[in-house]
Amino acid sequence: MSERKSPAVTAVGVKKTLRRRWRPGEKFIEGWIFLAGILAIVILLGIIALLLKEGLPIFIHTTPWEFFFGTKWYPVSEPPTFGIMPFFVATIWITLVATAISVSVGIACAAYLAEVAPAKVRETVKPIVEILAGFPSVVMGFIGLMLLSPLVQSALNLNTGLSGLTAGIMLSLMSLPIVISVSEDALRAVPDDFRQAAYALGATRWETIWHVSIPGALSGITAAIMLGVGRAIGETMTVLMVAGGALAVPISPTEPMMPMTAAIASGIGNAVRGGLQYQALFAIGLVLFVITLAVNLVADRVLERQKRKFAR
Amino acid sequence: MKATAMSKRLLSQRSAFTLLTVAAVIVVIPVLVIVIEIIINGASAISWDFLTQAPSQAGKAGGILPAIVGTFYLMLGTIIFALPLGVMAGIYLTEYAKDNWFTRSINLAILNLAGVPSIVYGLFGLGVFVLLFHFGMSLLSASLTLACQALAMTVTTSREAILAVPREYREGSLAIGATRWQTIRHLVLPQALPGITTGAVLAMSRAAGETAPILVVGAAFLLPGLPQSPFDQFMALPYHLYTVAAHVPGMSKSTIWGVALVLLIVVLSFNILATFIRLKARQRRLNA
């Protein structure tokens, strides 16, 4: 018993002599490191608090029903009305157009890059997709204004080429990089053994892609779609410049319209600080924030599941 | 019989692969068209005066120097705040944080910050930096706003870069008696530097192109001179492009394309720089 006790005593002794010097400098730095670590939470909570503080008071003036389902946004008439239905529907139209294109083209492109393309082609296409991701949104808006909207106007014989459709096409380009890269990663995460097994059973490469790789990567591809949707909903400059900015509830995507982000960007400069319009714009910001937060949270969950699926 | 079935399957494979290839082409072509159009149309506007003069006649004449300088100030202001804080947060998450609910909620917060729409950052900057902190519509407010937005990126890239440093290095350092901070300072950070730099350069490129937040917190369309202090208003390339393209009637087309070209050069050159750093680091790691 005493024999077992003595090493323990020595260990304590050793620990004492080697105990590190008190280093105030390091404690100071480590304190800052902790503060920086929690900064992300502070900012996120700050955003939520600010949007609530500035946005909620609008509901003293306008009932939530009028706000969400009202179709008239007349911030400067007497009395002013704040119905965000036109913006909300515009956001939905544009997101639908953008998602339809970016999902179909993006997933096909990802399948090409991950499964079909020779290494050399892949090494050329991937940097080009990265360049696309690097285009500032204002440049995309400018291109939509200069190049795409005349095309859309003449092709569909519209009064103006500035429409939800034009904005949606430009946004699809901006969502493509994230859809492609996340889907491609998901396809690559499907173990090669699965493909070998399919080949051994006599499947062609395409049958393997369709019946093995894509189903295996499905949750990752779903996450890719959601991230693309989140991107499209939150985009501001492109839609501000290209969507047309009309205040009526859009019936079809070929009409000019104003989605929620554009409504905030175009209104905030004229809004009196603390006034009703200011509050209403912050309330739109709150709605946007909640929607994108939900989309991102779900995408993250789905992506986690994909990661666990093939983890060994 | 069997052979025809097989050839049918191969035919469907060929058509499917053609479709996938077409999708890739559809992605590539717009990128080339955009780059080429901007270069062709913008090149004629680029001149020494365009790059070094202040604008006159509501932007219709003169140059865009204040916008170029303003954009570089913004990139600098953003990275001054976002890089140190991002690296420190990355260190905290990899070297100090335990695997518990608190750390998970930090990671979740970072993930969500990355998804917050840029216009919402603009509202945040307006409410907090412009009004609450009384920084006004200024370079400082805009830098801080963009820094909040860039933080998600600098934290994520720092965290990945630090995580990639092998565990054995740390254990070796701790074993010869270095403190945790000494290990981080002299061993982990130098190893992670290329990854951290890549993230920082990308964040700067992003800040250079960001428009919606600075539109809310105080970019100006026309200013006679350069900002003299962080509390001054400023011009910036993306905001200038927005205004001349969408709001100034009778603008000469070549001037607008010229602004777009300069913005694209700034943004893409930083993107390419980031790729270059990444490739260099990978090469060095392979050689080591």
Side-chain angles (χ1 to χ4, degrees):
Chain A
M1 212 46 194
S2 67
E3 258 181 17
R4 284 187 62 188
K5 212 177 172 183
S6 68
V9 170
T10 335
V12 170
V14 166
K15 215 172 171 185
K16 242 179 194 162
T17 50
L18 277 188
R19 181 178 285 163
R20 286 184 180 122
R21 259 184 308 137
W22 172 242
R23 294 169 184 271
E26 291 195 2
K27 287 291 158 211
F28 179 74
I29 292 168
E30 287 173 348
W32 277 102
I33 285 176
F34 174 73
L35 288 181
I38 61 171
L39 186 61
I41 293 187
V42 173
I43 294 177
L44 194 68
L45 292 180
I47 292 176
I48 296 172
L50 184 86
L51 291 176
L52 290 174
K53 174 179 160 277
E54 303 285 351
L56 282 188
I58 188 64
F59 294 121
I60 300 170
H61 170 271
T62 307
T63 64
W65 177 268
E66 275 177 72
F67 182 75
F68 288 107
F69 297 102
T71 57
K72 292 187 174 68
W73 177 268
Y74 297 140
V76 287
S77 62
E78 213 33 70
T81 55
F82 301 99
I84 66 164
M85 205 58 182
F87 310 144
F88 192 74
V89 175
T91 294
I92 289 178
W93 272 129
I94 292 174
T95 307
L96 274 180
V97 172
T99 309
I101 301 173
S102 65
V103 164
S104 50
V105 176
I107 294 173
C109 181
Y112 175 76
L113 291 176
E115 309 269 343
V116 182
K120 234 181 196 158
V121 177
R122 196 171 62 234
E123 297 304 312
T124 330
V125 174
K126 289 204 72 161
I128 295 181
V129 175
E130 268 173 46
I131 290 180
L132 184 59
F135 283 152
S137 61
V138 67
V139 169
M140 296 304 266
F142 170 66
I143 292 293
L145 208 60
M146 291 297 206
L147 300 181
L148 186 64
S149 76
L151 278 182
V152 170
Q153 184 179 8
S154 61
L156 298 178
N157 220 348
L158 301 169
N159 292 327
T160 167
L162 300 178
S163 67
L165 179 68
T166 321
I169 295 173
M170 289 318 291
L171 280 197
S172 74
L173 286 176
M174 307 183 68
S175 300
L176 269 174
I178 191 142
V179 174
I180 293 174
S181 74
V182 176
S183 309
E184 196 199 340
D185 286 347
L187 285 166
R188 284 186 183 286
V190 177
D192 233 12
D193 317 2
F194 288 25
R195 294 185 188 92
Q196 303 296 346
Y199 296 151
L201 290 171
T204 63
R205 277 176 73 197
W206 168 241
E207 285 160 353
T208 307
I209 295 171
W210 188 247
H211 295 290
V212 177
S213 305
I214 290 183
L218 203 59
S219 38
I221 293 174
T222 315
I225 296 171
M226 303 207 59
L227 290 172
V229 168
R231 186 91 205 265
I233 294 176
E235 232 321 301
T236 310
M237 290 320 291
T238 310
V239 292
L240 180 62
M241 296 168 80
V242 191
L247 286 177
V249 177
I251 308 299
S252 103
T254 55
E255 289 173 21
M257 56 184 78
M258 170 121 72
M260 294 194 283
T261 49
I264 299 174
S266 66
I268 197 76
N270 310 321
V272 183
R273 279 160 202 177
L276 284 174
Q277 189 186 359
Y278 185 83
Q279 295 169 353
L281 292 174
F282 271 83
I284 299 179
L286 185 61
V287 174
L288 254 179
F289 177 81
V290 170
I291 295 174
T292 47
L293 191 75
V295 169
N296 281 308
L297 281 177
V298 176
D300 179 53
R301 273 289 134 81
V302 179
L303 213 53
E304 279 300 313
R305 192 193 300 166
Q306 171 86 29
K307 271 186 196 147
R308 275 202 303 273
K309 196 165 169 186
F310 299 119
R312 283 181 242 182
Chain B
M1 192 65 179
K2 232 178 184 171
T4 51
M6 191 62 208
S7 65
K8 218 180 213 170
R9 289 166 62 201
L10 284 176
L11 187 71
S12 76
Q13 159 153 318
R14 197 166 305 146
S15 37
F17 280 11
T18 312
L19 272 181
L20 297 187
T21 315
V22 167
V25 173
I26 291 178
V27 175
V28 169
I29 284 181
V31 183
L32 300 180
V33 168
I34 292 171
V35 171
I36 291 169
E37 284 277 344
I38 289 180
I39 291 175
I40 289 177
N41 292 308
S44 62
I46 307 288
S47 66
W48 184 247
D49 283 352
F50 188 67
L51 298 176
T52 56
Q53 299 289 312
S56 53
Q57 296 172 36
K60 283 176 191 151
I64 55 168
L65 180 71
I68 299 175
V69 174
T71 286
F72 276 105
Y73 281 168
L74 264 186
M75 292 164 85
L76 215 62
T78 303
I79 213 64
I80 283 175
F81 294 111
L83 184 62
L85 291 170
V87 172
M88 288 201 291
I91 292 172
Y92 175 76
L93 288 169
T94 48
E95 307 287 325
Y96 290 93
K98 298 178 179 68
D99 186 17
N100 55 20
W101 67 269
F102 184 64
T103 308
R104 274 196 295 278
S105 44
I106 292 179
N107 281 318
L108 201 63
I110 293 167
L111 188 92
N112 284 310
L113 279 185
V116 172
S118 56
I119 188 72
V120 173
Y121 277 106
L123 293 179
F124 177 69
L126 177 66
V128 173
F129 303 125
V130 177
L131 300 178
L132 188 66
F133 292 175
H134 294 289
F135 294 155
M137 305 284 243
S138 65
L139 198 53
L140 180 63
S141 295
S143 299
L144 286 166
T145 308
L146 291 182
C148 289
Q149 196 177 5
L151 190 70
M153 177 166 235
T154 52
V155 178
T156 316
T157 48
S158 308
R159 188 180 56 194
E160 299 311 316
I162 294 171
L163 270 179
V165 178
R167 199 186 170 74
E168 292 82 357
Y169 288 29
R170 297 184 179 85
E171 284 164 356
S173 167
L174 293 171
I176 57 171
T179 62
R180 200 184 328 195
W181 170 248
Q182 286 168 335
T183 304
I184 295 168
R185 165 75 186 74
H186 297 288
L187 217 124
V188 176
L189 281 186
Q191 287 283 325
L193 197 62
I196 294 172
T197 318
T198 309
V201 173
L202 275 180
M204 288 171 83
S205 156
R206 194 79 70 79
E210 203 56 77
T211 321
I214 63 172
L215 177 143
V216 180
V217 298
F221 170 44
L222 286 175
L223 288 176
L226 304 177
Q228 298 300 315
S229 93
F231 295 99
D232 284 352
Q233 275 204 298
F234 59 97
M235 289 176 68
L237 282 170
Y239 184 66
H240 195 67
L241 174 60
Y242 164 64
T243 328
V244 293
H247 285 298
V248 183
M251 207 54 207
S252 97
K253 285 264 178 342
S254 82
T255 309
I256 314 180
W257 285 100
V259 178
L261 177 59
V262 175
L263 173 61
L264 202 65
I265 289 173
V266 172
V267 169
L268 289 189
S269 58
F270 272 72
N271 262 333
I272 291 166
L273 180 65
T275 314
F276 184 73
I277 297 171
R278 198 166 50 200
L279 284 180
K280 268 274 156 216
R282 191 188 297 163
Q283 246 167 32
R284 216 180 46 192
R285 208 172 310 133
L286 287 179
N287 292 340

